[in-house]
Amino acid sequence: MTAVRRLGSYLAESLSELWMRPKHQLPALDFVRATAVLTVVAGHFYNTFWRLNMRLPVPPMSNGLVFRYGWTGVDLFFILSGYLIGVQLWKEKKKTGTINVFEFITRRGFRIWPLYYSIILMGTLAHVMRPHLSDMLFVSNYFRAGFPRGWTLSTEEQFYIAVPLLLAFTPWIKKLETYFWVLGAAVVSVWVSRYYACQSIVASGIASCKELDDMITPIHLHNEALVAGLAIALLSVARPHLFARKAEDGFSWRGFFVMGVCFVLAAAMYAADRMIFSFTYLALIFGSVTLWLLWDRSVFSWPASWRIWYPISRLSYGMYLNHFLLFSWITTWVVRGVVRQTGSTTMASYAGIVTGSIVSAIFAVFTFVFVERPFLLLRGRWIEGRKRKKAAASGGQELAAQVSGLP
């Protein structure tokens, strides 16, 4: 009975953690993450699942905005990733002057690796994917992969390594604001790289380079949203008063102005060269909207504070990884069944996307409880252990200094 009680207590704590937003959690970020995963799932429904699994006409609803541009949710994820890890890194850099690269990567590893490799194992056993070494080493954004669209995880993992190394290897940069120039240079390097990469592809005899994966997946050709997230995080650490909450806060005209300027720049880049600035204008749009949501306290941003976004946000990583597997299985069965019963591909589409999303969320709850959370708890104990060791070492050094100062 003791084991049963412990399991019941663990399940209750896990489900409560999925529903109860921590006090320090920013509602706007939950909204951004939830929106990102829902748009990605919707975009993949037609662009990937329907095209590969269904031998049926594509319904007219596939031209809807969320289905046609659902792929942009990836860049929304990148904005959030850049911001969240940026806040951690900029604060550590400001406090200590450097970064503990090993500790940072290990913390991220406890969060990313367990579920990622679990989903790869499940997909392999279910015969819906054949992973390659590139999937296992997080380089599938450059080499042939077996995990569908797993290049985004490779990009983020490389980002988690590159940024702390950059900060650790630039100890001479004391003023945080200097890094704005470094981030700007990174974006310019993307433009140059995309230009020469496209020239190389066209020279090989291919008519256009715009839609090729070789121009989308490599991190050196597609990282502007990650850099934008880093920039917002840098601003929040270097100028914390801009993000401080005040009782009289209302509509953020400052955020609205920034958003307007970024939208104009995005439109200009889109008109100037969609190939070179392909992901820069998305970074400007999504980054400025995210910044406005962080600043605004008015009724216009109030829906972003709804509680429902938190559990979706908490499950977003699991849903992003598992919906490839589930769409190939239960969604196919649902769509074909509804088509047989009604003869309507539109009705079957609605049934498929709703059922697939719900099952994906339920499966993400399961993997959160039995895969993600155990490793997160382990990470918490590991972090606390390191803090105690540092505190003990610091106390020992202080005692030694006091003793050596005695006459």
Side-chain angles (χ1 to χ4, degrees):
M1 284 298 292
T2 303
V4 174
R5 288 197 189 96
R6 287 179 178 174
L7 177 60
S9 176
Y10 174 78
L11 291 175
E13 291 172 359
S14 300
L15 295 177
S16 175
E17 187 174 325
L18 284 175
W19 179 249
M20 300 299 295
R21 178 191 290 133
K23 291 182 179 180
H24 67 275
Q25 189 92 354
L26 297 175
L29 300 184
D30 295 330
F31 173 75
V32 171
R33 187 186 282 111
T35 301
V37 72
L38 293 176
T39 54
V40 167
V41 170
H44 284 159
F45 183 73
Y46 287 114
N47 294 335
T48 302
F49 158 73
W50 196 281
R51 178 170 54 84
L52 295 178
N53 296 278
M54 307 305 300
R55 296 181 179 179
L56 295 168
V58 179
M61 64 179 284
S62 63
N63 292 318
L65 194 65
V66 70
F67 295 110
R68 289 181 62 189
Y69 298 103
W71 58 271
T72 62
V74 167
D75 287 81
L76 199 51
F77 268 125
F78 285 169
I79 291 284
L80 198 61
S81 294
Y83 175 79
L84 292 175
I85 76 148
V87 168
Q88 299 174 38
L89 292 172
W90 297 126
K91 285 183 176 179
E92 184 177 351
K93 178 73 174 179
K94 183 177 182 179
K95 182 178 180 180
T96 67
T98 187
I99 298 294
N100 187 325
V101 178
F102 170 77
E103 187 171 303
F104 175 80
I105 293 177
T106 303
R107 287 203 312 265
R108 296 309 304 166
F110 274 109
R111 175 72 180 95
I112 301 297
W113 302 336
L115 184 57
Y116 176 77
Y117 289 119
S118 296
I119 292 296
I120 286 181
L121 177 61
M122 294 176 194
T124 303
L125 295 176
H127 302 290
V128 296
M129 72 169 68
R130 294 181 180 179
H132 295 262
L133 184 61
S134 61
D135 297 301
M136 311 306 290
L137 299 179
F138 289 102
V139 290
S140 60
N141 52 344
Y142 284 95
F143 302 99
R144 183 184 177 190
F147 184 13
R149 313 302 289 175
W151 65 270
T152 57
L153 276 301
S154 295
T155 293
E156 294 208 13
E157 195 68 16
Q158 292 158 17
F159 181 73
Y160 296 152
I161 296 172
V163 177
L165 285 176
L166 169 67
L167 300 189
F169 290 152
T170 52
W172 60 85
I173 299 180
K174 305 298 183 181
K175 192 175 181 180
L176 282 184
E177 289 85 342
T178 304
Y179 283 103
F180 280 117
W181 294 100
V182 177
L183 299 181
V187 173
V188 172
S189 73
V190 172
W191 299 342
V192 175
S193 298
R194 288 186 65 82
Y195 173 79
Y196 283 106
C198 185
Q199 293 299 310
S200 176
I201 290 172
V202 172
S204 68
I206 299 176
S208 175
C209 64
K210 289 182 180 178
E211 306 299 328
L212 297 179
D213 283 349
D214 289 346
M215 292 293 294
I216 297 174
T217 63
I219 188 173
H220 73 285
L221 302 179
H222 184 179
N223 63 40
E224 298 96 308
L226 290 164
V227 173
L230 269 181
I232 296 172
L234 177 55
L235 183 65
S236 71
V237 175
R239 297 286 187 271
H241 64 278
L242 295 177
F243 294 78
R245 290 179 175 270
K246 301 175 183 177
E248 67 275 12
D249 281 342
F251 185 81
S252 176
W253 289 104
R254 177 178 55 205
F256 185 73
F257 173 77
V258 171
M259 189 163 55
V261 171
C262 287
F263 271 59
V264 171
L265 286 175
M269 288 182 172
Y270 184 87
D273 195 316
R274 288 179 57 190
M275 185 276 294
I276 292 179
F277 305 121
S278 183
F279 302 106
T280 308
Y281 64 78
L282 285 178
L284 285 169
I285 293 171
F286 290 151
S288 62
V289 171
T290 301
L291 184 60
W292 177 77
L293 286 171
L294 289 171
W295 282 345
D296 191 72
R297 306 287 184 271
S298 72
V299 66
F300 295 100
S301 62
W302 173 67
S305 66
W306 293 348
R307 176 68 66 82
I308 188 60
W309 303 122
Y310 175 71
I312 299 174
S313 167
R314 205 74 168 86
L315 297 173
S316 62
Y317 181 47
M319 292 180 65
Y320 183 82
L321 291 177
N322 73 40
H323 77 276
F324 291 103
L325 281 65
L326 300 175
F327 273 16
S328 299
W329 168 49
I330 191 167
T331 306
T332 302
W333 178 77
V334 169
V335 169
R336 288 174 177 169
V338 174
V339 168
R340 282 196 299 268
Q341 293 296 320
T342 66
S344 170
T345 55
T346 298
M347 188 174 295
S349 295
Y350 282 117
I353 190 66
V354 171
T355 303
S357 299
I358 292 174
V359 173
S360 175
I362 293 173
F363 192 71
V365 171
F366 175 83
T367 54
F368 171 79
V369 172
F370 295 106
V371 179
E372 290 184 81
R373 190 164 184 259
F375 282 94
L376 292 175
L377 293 174
L378 183 62
R379 181 181 72 171
R381 288 195 289 269
W382 177 74
I383 292 174
E384 285 301 317
R386 289 184 66 86
K387 286 182 178 178
R388 285 194 295 268
K389 287 182 180 180
K390 288 179 181 179
S394 176
Q397 291 174 358
E398 290 178 3
L399 179 61
Q402 293 173 5
V403 172
S404 65
L406 292 176

